[in-house]
Amino acid sequence: MRLLTVICFFSFFAFSSQSAFAQAGIKQQSADDSQFMHTIKSAVLNEERTVVVQLPKSYQAQPNKVYPVVYRLDGAGNIPLASAVIERLQNDNRAPEVIIVAIENTNRLRDMYPTVNKEPQGPVGEGGGAAKFLAFFEQELIPLVNKNYRTHDYKVIAGASAGGVFALYALQANPELFQAHIAYSPAVWWNYGAMVKSTKSFITKNKELNSYVYINIGEEAGIMRERYDELQQSLQSHKARGLRFFNDAFDGISHGLTTAAGIFNAYYNLFLPKQMPISALTDDVASIDAYYKTLSQQWGELISPPDRAVRSLGYNLTGSKQFTRAIEVFKYNLKNHPKSVDALSALSYGYEMQGDTRQALEQMESALAIADDSYPYINYLKETKARLQVELDKRN
């Protein structure tokens, strides 16, 4: 953890040093062609704002590929951790590559909080600028990123503490601007729990909400914990249709470490993996189409149900002796991959497990009809066909 802190510090220092030389509207390129800095003369905020853009590894090599965008509050010091976690998920096909846009602060309390604090325990008179800051995103920052980089319409807003409050505010003020909202230990104690009250009102009024929300908390106690628990319970009990809500509570983790503690779960639960989990499969195989439609929307590319992934669902069902459902899944897969030897072999296996030897033999014969000697499991197919034929002959 100490090494990670050092890395983040030096990353932030390097970008802070570069900003001194940045000119309005000019993007500065890093040595490895992966990071760019923009200084924006914001008409909305009436000040200059600096953002750092981290591009994914494949960006230069795949000029036709588009990417989802993670907008990270509180500056470029957060890029290394987010990038490392998402890259590890990418390596396991559990997340797409993303563009990360980090927004440097000027007046953090003003920008992040939607209400002015009147509660004595906090800085009285601060806050109240979140509406204008969100307008900066909508009218200036997001259009700039979309113009200069190959993005698609899947955007994440992520922040910690005050930044977490802003992420929750964005959900309420403009639910369709971002498709995911990540709030690490959001400082919902602010101004007598104003964000808790507005969230409860919002979630009660909205019966359908196509979004993702992740929140967490560490060892915080007192009114912070009381108001956070009220927020968590409200989101948990009044789930709008289409809302995917996740939360974590970390005992013994300080407020400042809740980002590091929660970032894996935040993105692990956000992005759908290419391997559809069995828990997402309903009695209707149309749920497979729905899953991969959502996956494609997240990843920014058309991903049809993969042969291997769907077969895995079928094998999972045969393992739990749900043979009828397994055969439906195998048939669905064969319809999508009619020339797949593996798809035919899987359907044969499903019928065999169900006890339908004749159908199992027919599907195995179909598999052998399109397989050639280069198929790595050709001997298995031949042996299985012979065994099924013997079993069928015994019954006749």
Side-chain angles (χ1 to χ4, degrees):
M1 184 61 68
R2 185 175 298 172
L3 176 60
L4 177 61
T5 303
V6 172
I7 292 172
C8 292
F9 171 79
F10 279 107
S11 298
F12 178 77
F13 177 79
F15 286 117
S16 298
S17 300
Q18 288 181 22
S19 66
F21 301 100
Q23 300 176 23
I26 302 296
K27 59 180 181 180
Q28 293 191 341
Q29 187 171 332
S30 68
D32 62 357
D33 295 334
S34 66
Q35 288 182 336
F36 296 83
M37 181 183 295
H38 294 261
T39 301
I40 306 169
K41 288 185 176 179
S42 171
V44 173
L45 299 174
N46 193 30
E47 65 182 8
E48 287 191 351
R49 298 302 296 253
T50 300
V51 300
V52 176
V53 178
Q54 168 83 43
L55 298 180
K57 289 182 177 180
S58 71
Y59 192 88
Q60 306 300 340
Q62 299 189 40
N64 296 320
K65 188 173 182 179
V66 295
Y67 301 86
V69 184
V70 174
Y71 288 89
R72 184 55 166 92
L73 301 164
D74 287 328
N78 292 289
I79 288 179
L81 178 58
S83 182
V85 169
I86 296 173
E87 184 176 335
R88 181 58 62 92
L89 291 170
Q90 291 161 11
N91 292 341
D92 198 40
N93 281 323
R94 292 204 64 98
E97 290 186 289
V98 302
I99 295 171
I100 301 176
V101 179
I103 302 93
E104 301 294 349
N105 293 322
T106 55
N107 187 329
R108 185 172 185 266
L109 297 184
R110 176 201 68 191
D111 290 341
M112 304 295 185
Y113 290 112
T115 62
V116 175
N117 182 52
K118 299 177 182 179
E119 188 170 7
Q121 81 150 10
V124 175
E126 295 284 356
K132 188 174 285 189
F133 194 43
L134 188 62
F136 161 70
F137 273 85
E138 184 175 9
Q139 299 172 27
E140 297 177 327
L141 178 55
I142 292 174
L144 179 145
V145 172
N146 290 343
K147 179 181 177 180
N148 286 274
Y149 303 98
R150 299 194 309 275
T151 65
H152 80 86
D153 193 24
Y154 194 86
K155 301 180 293 295
V156 181
I157 180 75
S161 193
V165 171
F166 182 78
L168 294 173
Y169 169 74
L171 172 68
Q172 299 166 44
N174 193 340
E176 297 182 0
L177 186 60
F178 300 98
Q179 286 65 56
H181 303 76
I182 297 173
Y184 305 110
S185 191
V188 293
W189 62 266
W190 183 269
N191 192 28
Y192 298 99
M195 178 50 59
V196 178
K197 296 171 186 175
S198 66
T199 302
K200 290 175 70 174
S201 175
F202 173 78
I203 204 72
T204 300
K205 293 176 182 177
N206 287 269
K207 302 303 180 185
E208 186 167 348
L209 191 62
N210 185 24
S211 190
Y212 169 91
V213 174
Y214 171 87
I215 62 174
N216 73 14
I217 196 168
E219 64 183 1
E220 296 94 327
I223 61 170
M224 168 62 177
R225 187 56 181 256
E226 291 174 11
R227 291 170 185 173
Y228 174 90
D229 287 346
E230 187 179 355
L231 171 73
Q232 183 269 324
Q233 290 164 11
S234 177
L235 286 166
Q236 193 76 53
S237 61
H238 294 93
K239 273 190 179 181
R241 189 172 63 179
L243 175 62
R244 299 170 57 224
F245 172 64
F246 295 87
N247 71 95
D248 284 317
F250 299 106
D251 294 337
I253 297 296
S254 69
H255 180 71
L257 290 178
T258 51
T259 294
I263 192 168
F264 177 84
N265 283 349
Y267 288 104
Y268 179 86
N269 290 314
L270 166 58
F271 292 117
L272 300 182
K274 282 189 175 179
Q275 172 60 61
M276 178 179 174
I278 192 66
S279 60
L281 180 67
T282 69
D283 290 337
D284 188 349
V285 291
S287 60
I288 303 175
D289 287 322
Y291 180 89
Y292 282 97
K293 180 181 179 181
T294 303
L295 178 68
S296 297
Q297 291 170 346
Q298 283 191 342
W299 288 51
E301 56 185 292
L302 180 60
I303 302 174
S304 299
D307 182 2
R308 183 174 181 178
V310 178
R311 280 188 284 115
S312 179
L313 294 174
Y315 287 131
N316 191 301
L317 291 170
T318 58
S320 58
K321 301 187 185 306
Q322 300 179 64
F323 303 126
T324 300
R325 289 184 69 200
I327 289 170
E328 289 176 356
V329 169
F330 288 139
K331 283 182 175 179
Y332 165 90
N333 187 50
L334 184 60
K335 183 178 179 180
N336 289 337
H337 304 279
K339 300 298 182 182
S340 167
V341 176
D342 291 328
L344 286 161
S345 176
L347 181 55
S348 172
Y349 178 78
Y351 278 124
E352 182 181 3
M353 292 297 99
Q354 192 184 43
D356 191 338
T357 306
R358 184 177 298 280
Q359 282 285 1
L361 179 59
E362 287 182 10
Q363 300 304 322
M364 188 55 64
E365 288 174 339
S366 296
L368 278 165
I370 60 175
D372 56 35
D373 289 340
S374 65
Y375 181 72
Y377 308 112
I378 190 68
N379 289 335
Y380 162 78
L381 300 183
K382 293 177 178 179
E383 291 168 1
T384 302
K385 177 191 172 183
R387 176 173 52 76
L388 291 170
Q389 185 65 66
V390 169
E391 290 180 11
L392 189 61
D393 291 341
K394 288 181 181 178
R395 297 181 183 182
N396 293 334

